[in-house]
Amino acid sequence: MIKLLKHALITPSIAVLAFNAVAQTAAQPKLIEKVTRKGTELVIPYEKYVLPNGLTVILAEDHSDPLVHVDITYHVGSAREEIGKSGFAHFLST
């Protein structure tokens, strides 16, 4: 019963956090990729969305355990620096 209650409370909370930007605007998240399992294929199913503010959200649901994992990745580094701003990405990460 406790597992069910935790799952019922945590899952909606994550959905609210991930799509909070959508509530502030009339635009909806755009589904850009969906991977599903076919037969016995070894693949992790997921959906990839882009929110109106440019944030990319990858949603991979797994209901086998009442756990939630959030991972944030920043696309920074010398390959993403603008001309004339060398070292800028390293400056932001410190």
Side-chain angles (χ1 to χ4, degrees), residues 3 9 15-16 18 27 33 36-39 45 47-49 54-57 61 67 73 75 78 84:
K3 282 185 175 184
L9 294 174
V16 168
E33 186 176 0
T36 57
R37 180 177 293 135
K38 297 172 185 147
E47 296 173 355
K48 185 186 279 190
Y49 296 90
L55 179 71
T56 300
V57 175
E61 293 185 50
L67 301 172
T73 303
H75 294 279
S78 59

Side-chain angles (χ1 to χ4, degrees), residues 19 28-36 46-51 57-59:
F19 294 104
Q28 295 294 315
K30 181 179 178 185
L31 178 66
I32 59 171
E33 186 176 0
K34 184 172 184 174
V35 174
T36 57
Y46 68 90
E47 296 173 355
K48 185 186 279 190
Y49 296 90
V50 174
L51 302 183
V57 175
I58 300 174
L59 178 64

Side-chain angles (χ1 to χ4, degrees), residues 10-92:
I10 291 174
T11 302
S13 299
I14 293 301
V16 168
L17 289 174
F19 294 104
N20 187 27
V22 176
Q24 296 173 3
T25 64
Q28 295 294 315
K30 181 179 178 185
L31 178 66
I32 59 171
E33 186 176 0
K34 184 172 184 174
V35 174
T36 57
R37 180 177 293 135
K38 297 172 185 147
T40 60
E41 183 180 34
L42 187 59
V43 65
I44 298 174
Y46 68 90
E47 296 173 355
K48 185 186 279 190
Y49 296 90
V50 174
L51 302 183
N53 65 358
L55 179 71
T56 300
V57 175
I58 300 174
L59 178 64
E61 293 185 50
D62 179 359
H63 299 279
S64 62
D65 290 320
L67 301 172
V68 174
H69 175 81
V70 177
D71 190 3
I72 300 174
T73 303
Y74 297 95
H75 294 279
V76 297
S78 59
R80 298 179 185 275
E81 291 177 345
E82 297 177 19
I83 296 174
K85 292 189 177 184
S86 179
F88 191 68
H90 303 288
F91 173 73
L92 291 176

